[in-house]
Structures are given as structure tokens and as C-alpha cells.
Amino acid sequence: MKISALAVLFTTFFSLSMAAFHAPWSRPFTNTSNTIFDSLSCFGPVQKDFYYPRANFPKWLSDITGLHRWPGLSPPYVNGTNFNFSGIPEGPLYTQQSCNVTNHSLCSFDCDLCVGPKDIRHCNHLIQTFDDGPTPDTPTLLHHLHRTRNKASFFVLGIQVVVYPDVFRAMHNEGHFLASHTYGHKHLPSLPNRDIVAQLQWATWAMNATAGVIPKYFRPPFGGVDNRVRMIAERLGLTVIVWDLDTNDWKLTDASRTLDDIYDQIHAWKTSNIHGILLEHDNTMISVDAGIEISNIVGNGNITAANCKDDSAAWYG
Ligand SMILES: *[C@@H]1O[C@H](CO)[C@@H](O)[C@H](O)[C@H]1NC(C)=O
Ligand SMILES: *[C@@H]1O[C@H](CO)[C@@H](O)[C@H](O)[C@H]1NC(C)=O
Ligand SMILES: *[C@@H]1O[C@H](CO)[C@@H](O)[C@H](O)[C@H]1NC(C)=O
Ligand SMILES: *[C@@H]1O[C@H](CO)[C@@H](O)[C@H](O)[C@H]1NC(C)=O
Ligand SMILES: *[C@@H]1O[C@H](CO)[C@@H](O)[C@H](O)[C@H]1NC(C)=O
Ligand SMILES: *[C@@H]1O[C@H](CO)[C@@H](O)[C@H](O)[C@H]1NC(C)=O
Ligand SMILES: *[C@@H]1O[C@H](CO)[C@@H](O)[C@H](O)[C@H]1NC(C)=O
Ligand SMILES: [Zn+2]
């Protein structure tokens, strides 16, 4: 799981840089240099211009943050939000690469597959969830879901929302379930409390500023969540949703898994009447192709992650 998750992050940014632009809301980037964005340190040099945010930075957000532009992958904690840190331990921190967690009472999902009492890991329906969007490939999926009158659940990255605001608004207009996947796809248990707050808070701000969505649910990148992260998320009104059925669609990009491997697996689950939360990604064209065919197999209509908990409202605002 650790290695796979890392590969997902890699493929996210790799695929973005390779993306083609066809849909009307996926205009080519203007080459504007943007010194605000920091670098993806793990993966070498970054095409910083690529992350040019097109979403409006509204006045209410300027008033709260004192900033005038969307930040990069590691957004700052903003004092003005008055987050109550009392009772939240400042550690222990563990890294995704080494998973050097020694205390199993931390209830780490990524290291120990431990699920908190309020976390959602399973569903009594077979549902599709897509992480790491919106991207230029998402509209192809949206178009298919529209034609077949199916709904899906999307866990979006704040930084992708501000780079592709029109795609995010299209997801919203189509009535899909929308939740947070943090702002910059960091492994949260590696971060100090203030940076975790910032990752969650800025994702909410991006979703709110772009489509008026204030999320109720979030999926930690790499499944990286422990009790410290849960406490912070809960104070921000966010409930954790992970997954129990991994399509491993990210392996499509290096051909270590084929589309047929995935479809065979989905057919097997469907035939055996296995329910659960399918993990997929809308960050590459091939994973979108897989998502379309899986939707044809699963055909779950208007069932989304909100139905796993009988939640009548998928988000707050
Ligand atoms: C984008 O602009 C920068 C600075 O103006 C320039 O150095 C760079 O070559 C440009 N990149 C492309 C792909 O045109
Ligand atoms: C936020 O508050 C802390 C102490 O409460 C202070 O050290 C820090 O400089 C403040 N940051 C900003 C940006 O005001
Ligand atoms: C902060 O949280 C602690 C622990 O839940 C609580 O006792 C305290 O009253 C809270 N403080 C404020 C200002 O809300
Ligand atoms: C895990 O490793 C990181 C980086 O080496 C370190 O900062 C952290 O304290 C370690 N955590 C534990 C629980 O040993
Ligand atoms: C493990 O963590 C729990 C709370 O999360 C704490 O009560 C306990 O003392 C810790 N044990 C060790 C050995 O650090
Ligand atoms: C959401 O946006 C509205 C403005 O449309 C703003 O007043 C409100 O404070 C924002 N709330 C959050 C949680 O971002
Ligand atoms: C989903 O609901 C819409 C109306 O809200 C309906 O038109 C559509 O047929 C439903 N889709 C399925 C597959 O049941
Ligand atoms: Zn992700």
C-alpha cells in the first residue's frame, strides 16, 4: 500500500503534465510564471507554470488570510481561523515511506489498516469513488456519467480545484458527491498539527470559493490517517472515508495491471454480490477509461458515498 500510494502521487502529476485539452472548460494554460508555488521536492524539478490557478481568490478569503493568491502545495496555517488546538497531541509523527509508527494505539490506517469508530471504510452498496481530480480527463468521465444517469463520488484536491475550477463546477452541476482529499496531497501523519489544519482548511476554502461546497467528508491521501489527524478533522467538521475495494487503477500507467485485470476483478465482486467502496482515480485518461467501463458493470445509479451512511446531505453548504 505504501509503494502504491506513492506511485499514485507520481502518476497524478506526471499525467497532468502530459494531459491533452479538448473539453471547452479545459483551456490550455497561459504561461504565467507563478512564484508562489513550491516544488514537489520528492520528484525533482517542477513545471511551476503548470499550476497557474484560474479560480477567483475571493475577498472573504483575503480578509481571513491576508493573502491575495492561492498558495502552493503546502499552504500556510492562518491564525485568524482560531482553530482550537487544545487537547490535540503534537505527535508522534510518522512518515509514509518508513511507516515508523511504534504505538499501535495511534490507530493508523495506512500502517495498520486500523479504522476509527466514525471512519467509513465499507458500504452496503458497490460504489465508485474517484480521487485526485479535477483534471482535464475528468470531463470525459462526467460526460459518460451524464449520458448513463449515474452518480459518482469525487475526493478532490484543493490545488486541482483552483487550477480547474470549471471542471469542479461541472462535477457540482452534475450532482455528484463531492468531498475533500486535502489541498496538496501530503501524507498528513508526517505533518505538525498546524500544517494538517492548513491542508484541510484550504481544501474547504477552495471548494467553497469555487462552487459553494463546504465538505463534510474527507479522504486522507495515501490513506494516511491516525487518531491525531482524526481529532483535527473532526474539529473541522470532517468525517474520514477510506476504502475497502482497491482497483489499483494507478498500475495501468506502467502496465503492471491491465484493463481486463480490473474488469475481471469487478465482475467477480459483482457476481459474488460483494459490496464496498471502490478506490479509483480520475487523474489519467486510462483510469478514466477504466472508470467508465466499471460504471457500466456496476451501474449503481444515484448511489454515492452519502448512501453509505444514509446521509441526506453530502456536504454542509
Ligand atoms: C514560460 O515563461 C517563462 C518566463 O517568461 C519562460 O522562461 C519559459 O520558457 C516559458 N515556457 C514555455 C513552455 O513557453
Ligand atoms: C500566528 O500566531 C503564532 C503564535 O500564536 C505566532 O508565532 C505566529 O507568528 C503567527 N503567525 C502569523 C502569520 O501571524
Ligand atoms: C478547546 O477545546 C477544549 C478541549 O475540547 C475545550 O475544553 C475548550 O473549552 C475549547 N476552547 C475553546 C475556546 O473553545
Ligand atoms: C519517524 O521518522 C521521522 C523522520 O525520520 C521522525 O521525524 C519521527 O519522529 C519518527 N517517528 C517515530 C514515531 O519514531
Ligand atoms: C501510546 O499512545 C497512547 C495514546 O494514543 C498513550 O496513552 C500511550 O502512553 C502510548 N504508549 C507508548 C508506549 O508511548
Ligand atoms: C464560504 O463562502 C462564503 C462566501 O460565499 C463565506 O462567507 C464563508 O465564510 C465561507 N465559509 C467557509 C467555511 O469557507
Ligand atoms: C438518478 O436520478 C435522476 C433524477 O434525480 C433520474 O433522472 C435518473 O434516472 C436516476 N438514475 C438512475 C440510474 O436511477
Ligand atoms: Zn490521492
Side-chain angles (χ1 to χ4, degrees):
M1 178 176 297
K2 282 177 276 169
I3 292 164
S4 73
L6 194 65
V8 168
L9 180 63
F10 177 75
T11 53
T12 298
F13 294 104
F14 179 73
S15 71
L16 283 176
S17 63
M18 302 293 286
F21 304 95
H22 298 303
W25 51 69
S26 307
R27 293 178 303 276
F29 288 100
T30 48
N31 181 10
T32 307
S33 74
N34 186 337
T35 52
I36 279 184
F37 287 116
D38 36 289
S39 63
L40 279 165
S41 52
C42 328
F43 303 116
V46 183
Q47 292 175 273
K48 290 189 183 181
D49 292 347
F50 196 78
Y51 294 100
Y52 183 70
R54 293 201 209 87
N56 181 34
F57 195 87
K59 185 177 180 304
W60 61 263
L61 194 49
S62 255
D63 291 345
I64 296 172
T65 63
L67 300 182
H68 301 280
R69 306 184 71 168
W70 292 102
L73 296 168
S74 302
Y77 171 75
V78 175
N79 283 355
T81 52
N82 294 320
F83 184 85
N84 182 359
F85 286 99
S86 159
I88 301 177
E90 265 297 352
L93 275 53
Y94 66 87
T95 64
Q96 190 219 349
Q97 285 83 356
S98 62
C99 229
N100 56 335
V101 58
T102 49
N103 187 339
H104 296 289
S105 62
L106 297 175
C107 190
S108 158
F109 180 72
D110 54 327
C111 299
D112 294 338
L113 281 184
C114 180
V115 179
K118 295 179 184 164
D119 295 3
I120 299 171
R121 192 196 174 195
H122 181 67
C123 198
N124 289 325
H125 311 271
L126 185 55
I127 63 159
Q128 290 186 271
T129 67
F130 294 92
D131 290 6
D132 297 357
T135 74
D137 299 323
T138 310
T140 306
L141 177 61
L142 296 181
H143 182 67
H144 178 82
L145 295 170
H146 179 89
R147 277 201 305 113
T148 56
R149 299 184 179 195
N150 281 294
K151 299 282 183 277
S153 303
F154 290 95
F155 293 87
V156 299
L157 292 171
I159 196 145
Q160 296 296 108
V161 167
V162 303
V163 172
Y164 301 104
D166 296 339
V167 180
F168 184 62
R169 281 188 286 264
M171 290 169 156
H172 181 246
N173 291 340
E174 290 291 325
H176 298 294
F177 173 96
L178 302 174
S180 170
H181 193 41
T182 75
Y183 191 81
H185 211 282
K186 300 288 181 186
H187 179 254
L188 301 179
S190 312
L191 301 180
N193 293 347
R194 290 162 66 90
D195 293 346
I196 297 171
V197 172
Q199 284 289 331
L200 296 173
Q201 188 73 80
W202 279 95
T204 294
W205 285 336
M207 294 168 77
N208 185 29
T210 305
V213 172
I214 297 174
K216 272 188 181 175
Y217 298 97
F218 100 100
R219 173 171 286 163
F222 315 105
V225 64
D226 64 0
N227 284 337
R228 182 174 65 99
V229 175
R230 286 185 187 93
M231 279 178 88
I232 294 172
E234 194 172 335
R235 287 196 190 178
L236 290 169
L238 291 164
T239 299
V240 171
I241 300 185
V242 281
W243 64 88
D244 55 351
L245 300 175
D246 195 343
T247 64
N248 284 301
D249 59 350
W250 60 272
K251 291 184 181 171
L252 290 166
T253 52
D254 69 7
S256 63
R257 193 159 163 77
T258 67
L259 288 168
D260 283 339
D261 292 340
I262 293 180
Y263 303 153
D264 290 349
Q265 176 74 81
I266 303 290
H267 277 296
W269 283 330
K270 178 88 176 162
T271 307
S272 316
N273 204 26
I274 287 175
H275 299 146
I277 301 174
L278 290 164
L279 175 62
E280 303 180 54
H281 296 84
D282 56 325
N283 63 337
T284 63
M285 202 56 231
I286 192 160
S287 67
V288 162
D289 287 344
I292 287 172
E293 184 56 24
I294 292 169
S295 147
N296 290 335
I297 300 167
V298 167
N300 58 359
N302 292 333
I303 304 291
T304 70
N307 299 96
C308 303
K309 235 188 99 172
D310 286 330
D311 196 342
S312 56
W315 50 78
Y316 295 108

